[in-house]
Amino acid sequence: MRNMEVKKALGLYFVMGTPNSGSQDPLAIVEAALRGGITCFQLREKGSNALEGDALLGFAKKCQALCRLYRVPFIINDDVDLALAINADGVHVGQDDEQADSVRQRIGPDKWLGVSTHNAQEVQLAQSIGADYVGLGPIYPTSTKLDASAVVGTTLVKEIHTAFPDMPIVAIGGITLATTGSIIQAGADGVAVVSAIASAKDPQYAASDLSKTIHSLLE
Ligand code: 3NM
């Protein structure tokens, strides 16, 4: 049941922090993305001029309130203390972040746990510690994450989907409207994007276009 709920939420997964908003108002981008049909939102406040302390807490609460309004899960990247402080719906961690098994213990069984992975071994480990979904990437080159690891392509999506058919998979890294189809066809439950929405001239339109493409392929 939860597995199906998670798979559904991964469809169009928007990841953003204030450093990704360029000259636009970050909260306006989040709201536009929600209006356009994103199915999950992850606050990933990283990079230069990232908010901290009370400013981060305030921004996170505003994002959470918007996500609640649109009934979209609100996930926090890496910052378990923040996720617990505001009672977020889940936490997403990378391989270099706090060990996923200690995160699961801290957040308890009810919050969603997502883990970034790059190969079958990491997916196996994520599954064994109770991850609700795995992120696979970077699928294509990306300039959004400066320390992204080597590009994995859609081949890895196919491989992981075949080896772990029940594990919800979201692909990330350099994904655009043009490449969304091949990722879903490779077996991903959804795509996670930063710039395809945050850097779009019209984020609502961009989200809506992605959403239509994804849902036409998943249904
Ligand atoms: N994680 P864009 S790639 C946040 O490979 C993130 O795990 C990645 O941004 C990973 O959609 C990435 O602009 C950045 O390419 C994705």
Side-chain angles (χ1 to χ4, degrees):
M1 193 63 204
R2 168 144 156 185
N3 192 266
M4 292 311 294
E5 197 188 336
V6 173
K7 285 190 175 199
K8 206 169 153 213
L10 295 181
L12 178 53
Y13 190 153
F14 182 41
V15 178
M16 202 199 86
T18 59
N20 306 119
S21 61
S23 57
Q24 300 189 67
D25 169 16
L27 208 59
I29 298 179
V30 175
E31 182 153 27
L34 287 162
R35 243 187 275 123
I38 61 166
T39 51
C40 193
F41 176 67
Q42 179 190 123
L43 176 58
R44 179 176 178 275
E45 188 67 15
K46 291 204 169 164
S48 56
N49 300 319
L51 299 176
E52 292 174 14
D54 284 348
L56 173 58
L57 186 66
F59 181 66
K61 282 183 177 167
K62 286 179 186 162
C63 292
Q64 182 179 36
L66 280 174
C67 288
R68 282 198 177 140
L69 206 60
Y70 286 82
R71 300 180 197 282
V72 161
F74 176 64
I75 312 291
I76 298 279
N77 183 292
D78 193 12
D79 193 336
V80 179
D81 291 333
L82 177 60
L84 290 173
I86 65 173
N87 193 23
D89 299 308
V91 174
H92 185 97
V93 290
Q95 294 290 319
D96 303 331
D97 299 332
E98 193 178 330
Q99 288 294 313
D101 55 352
S102 85
V103 174
R104 171 52 86 203
Q105 281 174 19
R106 288 186 63 200
I107 65 177
D110 295 338
K111 290 192 194 306
W112 291 3
L113 173 61
V115 182
S116 295
T117 58
H118 311 91
N119 53 55
Q121 202 183 348
E122 289 175 0
V123 176
Q124 179 73 62
L125 191 65
Q127 189 173 51
S128 72
I129 54 94
D132 290 290
Y133 72 90
V134 291
L136 289 181
I139 304 296
Y140 303 112
T142 174
S143 49
T144 305
K145 187 178 196 290
L146 297 176
D147 60 346
S149 45
V151 166
V152 294
T154 52
T155 319
L156 185 70
V157 176
K158 269 193 200 123
E159 190 188 310
I160 299 300
H161 177 59
T162 307
F164 303 87
D166 294 332
M167 174 58 86
I169 296 171
V170 67
I172 188 164
I175 299 171
T176 61
L177 182 62
T179 52
T180 290
S182 55
I183 291 162
I184 300 296
Q185 273 151 7
D189 296 291
V191 299
V193 301
V194 181
S195 51
I197 293 176
S199 304
K201 227 182 252 165
D202 183 336
Q204 180 180 340
Y205 186 84
S208 159
D209 251 7
L210 283 161
S211 169
K212 280 182 210 146
T213 302
I214 291 159
H215 290 107
S216 70
L217 290 161
L218 286 175
E219 275 151 17

